[in-house]
Amino acid sequence: LIEFKNIKKENLEFFLFRFFKYNKFKDGQYNILKKILSNQSVLGVLATGGGKSLIFQLAALLKPGVTLVVSPLKSLMDDQIFGLKNRYGFDFADRIHSGMNLSEKKYVISRFRNGYLKLLYVAPERLQQKSFQKVIARLVKKGININYFTIDEAHCISEWGHDFRHSYARLKERQSEIGSNPPISALTATASHLVRKDIINFLKMNDKKDLIWQINDRQELSLEVIPLNYSTDDGCYSITFRGADNNFQSIKFDENQNRPDLLQYLLENILKLRFDHFDPKEHSGQIFTIYADPKPAKSLNVNIPKLSASQKLKRIESQNREYEGARWLADYLKDNGYNCKAWYSTPGYRDDLT
């Protein structure tokens, strides 16, 4: 395997701009890339959006040979290949997964065998197949180097991780069987201490020299849960939230106020406490609900053109149906002057009223 020596950041930044049109590396990218180009194994932990994919894609472009990329999701493979081909014009990258038909797979394997690929994305399960292992062995024997063995979403290796895959736990065996003995570059954005320890042990790495941890404090991001309580005694809702003085306080609503009214109150009175400049009627947002929509309007007899969203809500309420569906809430807020967008995957409703 070719090893880069005397690696300089400005030289790599030239190629970074040449291929991907970025002027400089994000935090952690250069240090991980430097180890990869030096034929050293590395576990890179970068924040979401930190540019993990670009690291191994750029490394693949800078050396002759092929980079194997182990990826757990078909959609992730498709998205990255689409970006490389359509955004950057790179035709030497492809993938093989179960969502492709037989002729498509044969075409990719043919390109792989004939040396037309520099990046090949595969699922971890495919690397366990004897037929695919033979294809790799023949290529190495033929003189085509497998330069890098990249494991994307490396947290799938760990049983402590939320996406554990048994086939991921056997990737070190598959890498050691490749004749060219390519270095391992394992990348993830999700790695607690236990997960990192698992990955390092499975891949036989050293946590002192092979781990690059680059997670920054994202102070612009926050998560807050505001509990909504309902009293069966008086039929009133109440909420508990953190006030301007950073102490918790509660507000109880009248019994005739429904959930959309409560959402409107949150937008007007609580969200503005969280931001320096916030106007709910100017800043658009998204309404997320536990399901798409209540039962279709036609069956509820509210499909009347002249009815406003508020009137429809009242009619639904009178028929003892739930009315916190995304469309209904969005229409209700729009009627009250808010610029919002309903979000849902597919129309639907729940038959039970739990």
Side-chain angles (χ1 to χ4, degrees):
L1 296 176
I2 299 174
E3 178 183 348
F4 279 29
K5 297 180 180 180
N6 302 319
I7 299 172
K8 295 182 179 180
K9 191 173 184 179
E10 56 266 29
N11 293 339
L12 293 182
E13 285 178 339
F14 169 83
F15 290 106
L16 177 70
F17 184 79
R18 168 69 178 80
F19 293 124
F20 296 100
K21 304 304 178 187
Y22 293 112
N23 292 310
K24 61 181 181 180
F25 290 105
K26 294 182 179 180
D27 291 341
Q29 283 184 320
Y30 169 70
N31 293 330
I32 297 173
L33 179 61
K34 186 177 179 181
K35 286 183 71 69
I36 294 174
L37 293 174
S38 301
N39 291 342
Q40 299 176 39
S41 291
V42 60
L43 168 58
V45 183
L46 299 181
T48 301
K52 297 181 294 296
S53 301
L54 184 143
I55 296 171
F56 60 78
Q57 290 168 358
L58 180 56
L61 292 171
L62 295 178
K63 284 187 183 181
V66 183
T67 295
L68 279 181
V69 182
V70 181
S71 181
L73 299 173
K74 293 181 286 186
S75 58
L76 189 60
M77 295 187 214
D78 290 341
D79 182 65
Q80 292 200 17
I81 294 300
F82 181 87
L84 287 169
K85 289 186 175 182
N86 294 278
R87 184 177 179 183
Y88 300 111
F90 298 154
D91 190 45
F92 42 74
D94 222 320
R95 80 286 189 221
I96 301 176
H97 59 62
S98 59
M100 302 165 63
N101 61 45
L102 184 60
S103 61
E104 289 173 328
K105 293 176 184 176
K106 285 183 176 180
Y107 174 71
V108 175
I109 290 292
S110 175
R111 297 186 70 206
F112 185 34
R113 284 173 174 163
N114 291 296
Y116 292 118
L117 296 181
K118 292 193 66 62
L119 276 159
L120 179 62
Y121 289 73
V122 295
E125 290 80 10
R126 186 162 298 277
L127 283 173
Q128 312 307 324
Q129 297 177 4
K130 294 294 183 182
S131 58
F132 190 72
Q133 293 171 19
K134 289 178 181 178
V135 170
I136 295 176
R138 283 196 294 267
L139 278 176
V140 172
K141 190 174 181 180
K142 187 179 176 181
I144 296 178
N145 282 332
I146 306 296
N147 278 329
Y148 308 117
F149 191 89
T150 297
I151 304 174
D152 201 8
E153 308 296 338
H155 59 273
C156 296
I157 290 174
S158 172
E159 291 186 19
W160 293 99
H162 58 279
D163 286 323
F164 172 66
R165 298 263 287 267
H166 287 283
S167 51
Y168 258 79
R170 301 185 64 185
L171 289 178
K172 177 58 183 175
E173 298 174 33
R174 303 286 80 81
Q175 177 266 348
S176 61
E177 292 169 355
I178 297 175
S180 55
N181 194 29
I184 296 175
S185 51
L187 301 163
T188 183
T190 307
S192 65
H193 173 73
L194 288 173
V195 171
R196 296 198 305 272
K197 186 177 178 181
D198 252 6
I199 296 172
I200 287 170
N201 287 338
F202 269 109
L203 299 180
K204 294 180 171 55
M205 291 183 176
N206 185 305
D207 62 347
K208 295 291 189 293
K209 67 174 185 176
D210 297 333
L211 172 63
I212 294 180
W213 169 275
Q214 192 69 52
I215 298 292
N216 296 324
D217 181 15
R218 301 286 294 275
Q219 295 184 4
E220 76 278 14
L221 302 179
S222 65
L223 175 66
E224 181 177 9
V225 177
I226 300 178
L228 173 65
N229 303 305
Y230 179 76
S231 173
T232 56
D233 295 332
D234 55 17
C236 295
Y237 288 105
S238 64
I239 58 172
T240 302
F241 63 96
R242 181 169 48 83
D245 57 357
N246 212 32
N247 293 318
F248 285 96
Q249 60 188 76
S250 297
I251 291 180
K252 189 173 183 177
F253 298 89
D254 296 335
E255 61 179 335
N256 61 345
Q257 290 182 293
N258 54 37
R259 295 188 188 188
D261 294 325
L262 273 58
L263 178 59
Q264 185 174 342
Y265 179 87
L266 293 177
L267 292 173
E268 293 178 346
N269 299 280
I270 297 181
L271 272 185
K272 69 179 183 181
L273 299 176
R274 308 292 184 256
F275 303 95
D276 294 330
H277 304 287
F278 178 76
D279 185 342
K281 293 194 176 182
E282 290 185 4
H283 298 98
S284 62
Q286 290 185 319
I287 303 301
F288 292 85
T289 61
I290 55 175
Y291 64 101
D293 279 289
K295 206 164 186 178
K298 184 176 180 180
S299 63
L300 290 170
N301 195 28
V302 295
N303 194 20
I304 304 172
K306 293 183 179 181
L307 287 181
S308 67
S310 301
Q311 290 171 320
K312 289 179 182 179
L313 284 170
K314 290 179 180 178
R315 183 162 293 205
I316 294 172
E317 183 181 8
S318 67
Q319 296 189 36
N320 195 28
R321 297 293 303 183
E322 294 185 55
Y323 48 84
E324 67 260 18
R327 279 199 190 103
W328 297 106
L329 286 174
D331 288 346
Y332 177 90
L333 293 172
K334 285 177 182 177
D335 279 358
N336 287 276
Y338 294 92
N339 180 19
C340 65
K341 177 182 179 182
W343 183 94
Y344 45 88
S345 54
T346 55
Y349 63 93
R350 299 184 304 177
D351 287 324
D352 60 295
L353 298 180
T354 57

